[in-house]
Amino acid sequence: MHAITLAVADLERSAAFYTALFGSEGSGIIGTEYAPTDTVAGGATAMFTLDDGLIVSVYGRDDMRKDSSVELGTDPSATIGHFVESRADADAFLERARAAGATMLEPPYTRPWGMYSGFFQDPDGHLWEVVANPGMGAPSDATPE
């Protein structure tokens, strides 16, 4: 997988949220010269390339609907997973999400099998899980409490 494109209600708001979350300006909002019509999607988007090369892009919901010819639901039906090396890294990422304006869900916790994780939703309700998992082979200080 090389890219994840998230349909968003407000492109400027989402670009600001992900800039704060990732600590990167990314591409900024690009493609505004390609204006939408009643039947054709516009080209405005913002893209963020993560350390592992994955691109997270945000794209207007109406444009995504026009591009795909699919009515988009509003409830999250998938989780975007972000794996980090330690419990401290997970807590720091969750704090950046909170500071950027995420809706924080239940507090993070350590599961019986040792995985420490927490959930939040971005301004459009996309569900994120931040995970420190000692079983994934990365160094971790996640230990059962």
Side-chain angles (χ1 to χ4, degrees), residues 2-111:
H2 303 293
I4 296 173
T5 301
L6 303 173
V8 300
D10 182 327
L11 185 59
E12 288 184 23
R13 176 189 70 187
S14 292
F17 173 82
Y18 282 103
T19 295
L21 180 64
F22 296 137
S24 164
E25 288 293 322
S27 67
I29 297 176
I30 58 172
T32 57
E33 67 272 25
Y34 304 105
T37 69
D38 289 341
T39 58
V40 177
T45 190
M47 298 181 192
F48 302 87
T49 303
L50 306 184
D51 291 341
D52 62 359
L54 178 69
I55 297 169
V56 175
S57 64
V58 291
Y59 187 53
R61 287 186 65 77
D62 193 48
D63 288 330
M64 178 79 76
R65 181 189 56 75
K66 290 175 189 173
D67 266 351
S68 67
S69 299
V70 172
E71 289 301 321
L72 303 175
T74 56
D75 292 332
S77 59
T79 301
I80 302 164
H82 180 66
F83 283 72
V84 296
E85 292 187 2
S86 70
R87 180 179 176 150
D89 290 342
D91 289 338
F93 193 86
L94 289 164
E95 176 54 28
R96 278 199 314 274
R98 186 205 58 74
T103 300
M104 306 311 291
L105 303 174
E106 295 296 318
Y109 64 97
T110 301
R111 297 186 183 175

